[in-house]
Amino acid sequence: MSSLPANEPPLLRNLNPEQLAAVTLPAKPALILAGAGSGKTRVLTTRIAWLLSTGQVSPGGVMAVTFTNKAAKEMLTRLSAMLPINVRGMWIGTFHGLCNRFLRAHWKLATLPQSFQILDAQDSLGAVKRVIKAMNLDEERFVPKQVSWFVAGSKEDGLRPRDIAPRDEQTRKLIEIYQAYEDQCQREGVVDFAELLLRTYELLRDNDALREHYQRRFRHVLVDEFQDTNRLQYLWLKMFAPPGTSQGVFAVGDDDQSIYAFRGALVGNMADFEREYRVEQVIKLEQNYRSFGNILDAANELISHNTRRLGKNLRTDAGPGEPVRVSESTSDYGEAQWFLDEAQALHRAGTPRSEIAVLYRSNAQSRVIESALFNAGVPYRVYGGLRFFERAEVKHALAYLRLIENANDDTSFLRVVNFPTRGIGARTLEQLQDAARSSGRSLAQSVAAVPGKAGANLAAFVALVDAMRDATQGLTLRQIIEHVVQASGLADFYRTEKEGQERLENLDELVNAAEAFVTQEGFGKEAIALPIDEQAPEADLIVPDADTGEIQSPLAAFLTHAALEAGDNQAQAGADAIQLMTVHSAKGLEFDVVFITGLEEGLFPHENSMSDHDGLEEERRLAYVAITRARQRLYLSFSQTRLLHGQTRYNVKSRFLEELPEGALKWLTPRHQGFGSGFARDYQAAWQRGSGLGSIVGAGRVEPPVQPRSTPGGLRTGQSVFHNKFGEGVIVTLEGSGDDARAQINFGRHGMKWLALSVAKLTPVE
C-alpha cells in the first residue's frame, strides 16, 4: 500500500503505488494497463473524484465512457459515496448511452426527429427483413442476419453505402440493401445502435463549431475497457479529444483481455493510442486482489506465449493457494459427472453454489453438464439467457407504447398490428407496405390506401392506438402502461394462454420497472408521462435534462432506457445456483471456484482459429480471461471423446495445457493417460496436412489422409465457391469420394468449415 502523509485526501489512502500514480497523473494523455483483478474501477472512479476534489475540473467537464450500463452505474454509485456532488448530470455512461444523449441535444443538426426511437438488435433485424422483401430478393442468398451483420459492420468501420467499394455483384447488392435500410430508418425516424455512434461521429467531424465546443468543454476524457474499442469508437474518441491537445485522456484497458474481435474490437487500438497520443509513461496495474498465486502463475505463463503484447505480469500478496487441478475424462459424460461430484463436495464443504462457475468455449457444450445437474436435482443457471426487455411480451407492450409516442414507427407497427390477432394477414401488410413505399409515408399514414375489409381492420388498429393515446393524456407512466396492457388486448390474450401467467407477471414487472425508472431519474411518480405543452400547468412535472435543458417526457425517456438496456450485454446475478456460461460471457465476473471444461484441440483453441496466428492469440487471451475469473480454486478438464454437433469427436488435450507451469498444477488423473503428447504431435501434423480430426483413430496412430478420387461437381483444391450461409470461400482440402466426400473450405470471416459435399450446396465461382 502507498504510504501517504496524514494530511493527504482520504480518497487517496489505501491505494498501492501504481494506483496512486495513475490517479494523480497530470492532465495529459495516459495509458493504464490494468490487469485482471487489479482495481481498475476503483482507479477510474478515484481519478474522477481526485480531479473534482482538487478543483482541476468541474463535474460538467468530465466525460467517462464504459461498455456496459452496469459499469456506468457502479462508477456513479461510487462517486456519490466519495463526494458530496450530484452526479446525475455528469457525462458518465456507455458509448451508446452518451451518443443518445448527444443526439437528443442536437437532433436538428443530426437531421433526426426530436422523438426518434432506438431499434434494438431484433427490431433492426426485422427492419432489414422488410427491406429485403420490398426489394424482392431471395432470403436464402441474402440472409437477413448476415445482411444485418454487413450493415452493422460497415457502420462500425465508419462506412456509409457510398464509401464501400463494390468488389462483386453480391457486395453491390448488399450496398443497395444498406442504402434502402438507411432510407427506411430515416423515413421512420429510428436509429439502430451502430447509427447512434456513426451519426454522432459524423456530426462532430463535419461541424467545426460543435466539435470545438465539446473539446473545450471536456477537459478530461476517461475510457474504460479500451482494448474492446472498435475502429469507429476510437475515431469517436478523437473527435472529443484529438491527439496533440492539452486534454487529459485517460485510457484504461488490458490488451491481454481483448476477446471481442468477432464484434469488431481492435486490440491494436491500445498500441495506436500510445503512439498517436505520444504517451510518455504507461502505468501497469499488476497487483492482483482477486486470485491466489498458482492461478496467477498459470495465467502469466499462458499469456506469455502471445507475441503481440504491451506486457505485464500479475502478482499477489495472498500466497500460492491451492494448486490448479487438471482432470482428464474418457468422455464428455464422464467429464460432466466428475464436475458434478466435485461441485457437490465443494458445496457440502461450505462453498455457495453461486460461487461455482462452469466455463466453456462453445454453447453446445452445456447440454451434457445441464443434464447431469438436472438429473441430480442441483439448481443451476445458464448465464446470459433472455433479459427482461428482450422477452416477447415485454417487447409487445413496449411497441404499443412506442406507437403512442410516435405513430409513424413502422417497426413497432408491424410487431403488434396483428398481435393479438385482428385478422390482418401477410397479404394485407404487403398491400400496406406497397402503398407506404409509393407515397413515401409511414404505414399508419397509408392505411386509407388499402381497400375492403383488410383496410377496415387496419383502420380499426390505428383507431385503437389513437384511442389509447387520447385516453392516456395526463396520466403517469405507471397508469399509461397499465392502460395499454389492458386496452391492447395483451392481458386478455395471455390470460387464455396455457403458460400465460409468467408472461402476465412480466407485464406487471414492466409497470414496476417504469415506476422505479421515473423515481431514479428524478421525474417523480406523479409526472405526466406523455409529451405536453411546456406552457401547460403540468409542465413543472417534466424534468429537463441536467446538461442540455431539453425537456423529454418520462415515456420517451423510459422507451430509450428500455432500448439501451436490451442492448446491454450484462445479465443480472442469479440466486444460489451453479453458474454455467461461455468464457465470453464470463468476462468481468469472478467466482470462488471456476471449472474450465473442454480444453481440447479444435474446441479450445477453436478449430476456426488454428490456421490463423491472430486467431490463436485471441483464443489464448480467451483462456487467460477464463483462468483469471477464479479467486480460490481453478479446475481444468478435457475428455478423450465428445459428442458435439451430432458427431463423436476424438480429442487431444489443448496446447494451452502444455503452456502452463508444471509447478502450479496438480493432475487428478495420470499425467499422460490416454492420448499422450506423441498423439498431439501426430494430430498437429495431420491438421497441417488438412486431414483434421477425422483421420485420427485409436490412441496414437494417424491414418494417411484419403486422397479424393471423385467429387460432386468436379471441385478442386484452390477453387473459389459460394455457399448460401457462409458466402464465398476457397477450397483448402478435399477428401473422400461419393457420398463420403467432404471439403475443408476457408470462408474468411466465418473461418474454416468442413462440409459434406453430398449435402452442401456449393456454387463454383469462376
Side-chain angles (χ1 to χ4, degrees), residues 103-257:
L103 293 174
R104 296 284 174 194
H106 304 292
W107 56 274
K108 283 185 180 177
L109 287 174
T111 64
L112 288 169
Q114 187 171 11
S115 60
F116 71 85
Q117 293 295 332
I118 302 170
L119 299 180
D120 65 17
Q122 281 301 113
D123 289 336
S124 178
L125 178 61
V128 166
K129 287 180 179 177
R130 285 192 280 128
V131 169
I132 292 172
K133 190 170 187 178
M135 295 176 68
N136 294 316
L137 297 173
D138 181 4
E139 283 198 6
E140 288 193 4
R141 186 167 180 84
F142 297 97
V143 181
K145 275 193 175 180
Q146 293 180 12
V147 174
S148 288
W149 295 336
F150 173 81
V151 171
S154 299
K155 289 186 178 184
E156 287 169 1
D157 285 337
L159 302 175
R160 293 293 185 188
R162 62 180 176 274
D163 303 320
I164 305 170
R167 302 184 306 273
D168 49 39
E169 184 57 35
Q170 180 82 359
T171 308
R172 182 176 286 105
K173 190 59 69 175
L174 285 171
I175 295 170
E176 290 179 20
I177 299 172
Y178 180 8
Q179 184 62 61
Y181 172 78
E182 278 212 324
D183 295 341
Q184 176 177 283
C185 288
Q186 187 66 27
R187 186 170 63 248
E188 296 176 12
V190 295
V191 296
D192 57 30
F193 281 104
E195 185 68 24
L196 287 169
L197 270 162
L198 183 54
R199 188 81 60 116
T200 299
Y201 164 70
E202 290 174 337
L203 185 52
L204 287 166
R205 180 195 64 192
D206 301 334
N207 190 313
D208 294 344
L210 193 65
R211 183 177 66 253
E212 290 165 7
H213 163 76
Y214 279 99
Q215 288 175 3
R216 285 194 303 271
R217 173 184 173 168
F218 293 124
R219 304 311 302 166
H220 288 271
V221 179
L222 302 91
V223 185
D224 191 11
E225 304 285 9
F226 197 83
Q227 78 281 351
D228 292 336
T229 53
N230 60 31
R231 180 177 183 273
L232 180 58
Q233 287 162 340
Y234 187 35
L235 291 172
W236 180 94
L237 169 67
K238 291 196 280 191
M239 289 296 101
F240 285 100
T245 64
S246 59
Q247 286 169 278
V249 188
F250 195 81
V252 182
D254 183 1
D255 57 331
D256 290 334
Q257 294 190 71

Side-chain angles (χ1 to χ4, degrees), residues 371-640:
S371 178
L373 291 168
F374 178 80
N375 291 336
V378 176
Y380 69 91
R381 174 175 175 267
V382 180
Y383 187 95
L386 280 179
R387 293 175 289 278
F388 180 75
F389 287 112
E390 294 176 329
R391 294 169 188 169
E393 62 276 14
V394 174
K395 293 194 72 170
H396 289 326
L398 291 173
Y400 280 108
L401 293 170
R402 289 194 175 99
L403 287 174
I404 290 176
E405 171 74 13
N406 174 13
N408 299 319
D409 182 344
D410 286 2
T411 299
S412 295
F413 185 103
L414 289 173
R415 170 174 278 278
V416 293
V417 66
N418 199 41
F419 192 92
T421 53
R422 300 183 176 88
I424 300 172
R427 179 65 191 134
T428 300
L429 292 177
E430 283 181 19
Q431 286 182 271
L432 179 61
Q433 288 172 302
D434 289 341
R437 275 193 300 274
S438 62
S439 65
R441 306 174 77 196
S442 72
L443 296 178
Q445 293 169 331
S446 306
V447 163
V450 180
K453 185 179 179 182
N457 289 341
L458 287 169
F461 172 71
V462 172
L464 171 65
V465 173
D466 289 342
M468 287 193 291
R469 186 181 301 109
D470 292 338
T472 51
Q473 294 294 319
L475 298 185
T476 66
L477 186 56
R478 179 190 185 97
Q479 292 168 335
I480 287 177
I481 296 175
E482 288 174 338
H483 178 83
V484 165
V485 167
Q486 296 297 327
S488 66
L490 287 176
D492 288 338
F493 176 82
Y494 289 123
R495 282 192 195 101
T496 61
E497 256 203 343
K498 184 178 180 182
E499 298 177 1
Q501 185 56 40
E502 183 178 344
R503 296 182 184 274
L504 288 169
E505 290 172 0
N506 285 334
L507 291 175
D508 289 339
E509 189 59 29
L510 179 63
V511 176
N512 297 337
E515 192 148 280
F517 172 79
V518 293
T519 302
Q520 292 166 3
E521 292 301 307
F523 290 106
K525 292 182 180 180
E526 302 306 314
I528 305 303
L530 280 173
I532 58 175
D533 185 347
E534 292 181 32
Q535 306 304 315
E538 309 89 59
D540 59 349
L541 295 177
I542 301 294
V543 177
D545 183 275
D547 183 71
T548 66
E550 174 207 3
I551 293 179
Q552 190 176 14
S553 72
L555 176 58
F558 179 65
L559 292 173
T560 295
H561 163 75
L564 292 172
E565 280 288 309
D568 193 351
N569 64 354
Q570 296 297 316
Q572 298 299 313
D576 189 30
I578 289 175
Q579 309 290 300
L580 276 61
M581 67 195 73
T582 64
V583 181
H584 280 104
S585 297
K587 187 166 183 291
L589 304 177
E590 56 186 77
F591 304 91
D592 286 347
V593 181
V594 169
F595 291 80
I596 306 174
T597 62
L599 279 162
E600 298 137 23
E601 288 290 290
L603 186 55
F604 200 0
H606 196 275
E607 59 190 2
N608 290 348
S609 72
M610 295 173 64
S611 59
D612 176 63
H613 177 76
D614 289 341
L616 191 57
E617 293 220 339
E618 174 132 341
E619 289 290 300
R620 193 175 281 111
R621 291 195 293 269
L622 197 56
Y624 175 85
V625 167
I627 289 171
T628 53
R629 299 310 92 199
R631 296 192 194 104
Q632 299 172 11
R633 279 197 180 205
L634 175 64
Y635 293 82
L636 310 175
S637 68
F638 62 100
S639 66
Q640 296 174 9

